[in-house]
Amino acid sequence: MDEFSTLEVMLVDNEDLVRRGFRQAIGEAPDITVVADTRVGEEALRMAELRRPQVVLVDAECEFIRKLAQLSETAVPGVGPGVIVLTSNALDSHLLGSLKAGARGFLLKSASQDELISAVRAVADGAAFLCPTMTRRLIDRFEILPPPHERSHAVALASLSGRETQVLRGIAMGRSNQEIAHDLHVTLATVKSHVSRILAKLELPNRMHAALMAQRSGLAHLPQPPRAKQAAAAPCPPAARPEPAVRRAW
């Protein structure tokens, strides 16, 4: 997305006041436009197919979510809305059902405005987004990541290059490709290439599995390597270095 384009979002909820509140919250982001809002039902599906929003925020049962996600298989394959479930239902079964139905994001209605906007941007960028509460519960409760070919996570992660590890850390922290590219001062295409290589090396099916593996391995919470810290500090020129006796005091 360039600086002149906006993300088009559709709101689907049976409560008018809820839609109005989220429309106002999202509308304060300069790069996001709400192009439609409606109640759950066939009219919502027709509107989504007509308007082709990049992201749909919806509070609905899994069957409706599945129909929304399947819009990507009509017209142009792979071009369809990224579905974010925005609900007050915090049950694990609803989370898993939504993800299986094709949702790429899951937020509680108690989410902050910043969290809501971050989720929209991430899903529009092709990433997945789970609220921290549900991410923690998902990691703690389910063993969904058996090490490929019985390799430990440490061995699998050791196969990554330094740059790939940095990209994976960004994924684990919930950052979008665009945000990672900005952090690392590289192009968006470069980040996408790194993500593809990461999934291939770790033998994982998608970005969410990579994020969970990195989270469970503690990668998101590791400090920067000493070399990176040293590189960040301006080295002292030889003439300005302290005398040996002073260095020994350190």
Side-chain angles (χ1 to χ4, degrees):
M1 184 185 71
D2 60 49
E3 59 180 330
F4 301 106
S5 63
T6 60
L7 303 176
E8 296 189 345
V9 176
M10 177 177 171
L11 302 174
V12 181
D13 194 291
N14 284 332
E15 298 184 34
D16 294 345
L17 288 178
V18 170
R19 297 199 310 274
R20 186 180 304 171
F22 286 126
R23 173 186 278 273
Q24 181 176 353
I26 295 173
E28 293 184 9
D31 59 331
I32 301 176
T33 300
V34 178
V35 295
D37 71 73
T38 186
R39 293 171 174 266
V40 177
E42 292 300 319
E43 177 62 26
L45 293 173
R46 286 192 292 271
M47 191 176 296
E49 190 165 16
L50 175 65
R51 300 305 298 265
R52 292 280 166 183
Q54 291 152 285
V55 177
V56 177
L57 290 165
V58 59
D59 183 5
E61 295 302 318
C62 294
E63 182 57 34
F64 183 81
I65 296 169
R66 184 175 295 106
K67 290 179 180 179
L68 269 177
Q70 287 174 346
L71 290 177
S72 62
E73 299 176 5
T74 63
V76 182
V79 179
V83 178
I84 300 176
V85 176
L86 192 60
T87 181
S88 55
N89 186 347
L91 294 177
D92 292 344
S93 58
H94 188 46
L95 167 64
L96 292 178
S98 299
L99 297 178
K100 289 179 180 178
R104 296 214 307 268
F106 193 96
L107 281 176
L108 299 179
K109 287 186 175 179
S110 58
S112 67
Q113 181 183 27
D114 288 344
E115 195 172 24
L116 177 64
I117 291 173
S118 294
V120 170
R121 289 170 176 162
V123 170
D125 193 34
F129 191 101
L130 299 183
C131 62
T133 299
M134 302 308 289
T135 300
R136 184 74 266 164
R137 286 165 61 175
L138 186 65
I139 293 171
D140 289 342
R141 181 165 179 174
F142 298 98
E143 291 295 327
I144 63 173
L145 290 173
H149 302 309
E150 304 302 321
R151 295 182 303 167
S152 69
H153 290 172
V155 172
L157 293 172
S159 68
L160 302 179
S161 68
R163 181 64 82 187
E164 289 165 352
T165 300
Q166 290 177 317
V167 172
L168 180 58
R169 182 183 287 112
I171 293 173
M173 295 172 66
R175 301 184 69 74
S176 69
N177 287 346
Q178 188 70 51
E179 290 171 326
I180 294 172
H182 179 268
D183 292 342
L184 300 181
H185 305 289
V186 298
T187 66
L188 180 60
T190 298
V191 172
K192 290 181 177 180
S193 178
H194 283 313
V195 172
S196 296
R197 287 199 294 270
I198 288 168
L199 296 180
K201 287 185 177 181
L202 300 183
E203 300 180 33
L204 296 174
N206 55 49
R207 184 189 183 100
M208 183 173 292
H209 280 74
L212 289 174
M213 172 183 276
Q215 286 276 358
R216 289 172 61 182
S217 302
L219 182 62
H221 308 292
L222 291 177
Q224 292 293 332
R227 182 177 299 177
K229 289 183 178 179
Q230 293 170 1
C236 204
R241 288 179 180 169
E243 295 297 324
V246 177
R247 290 202 299 271
R248 286 196 297 271
W250 285 101

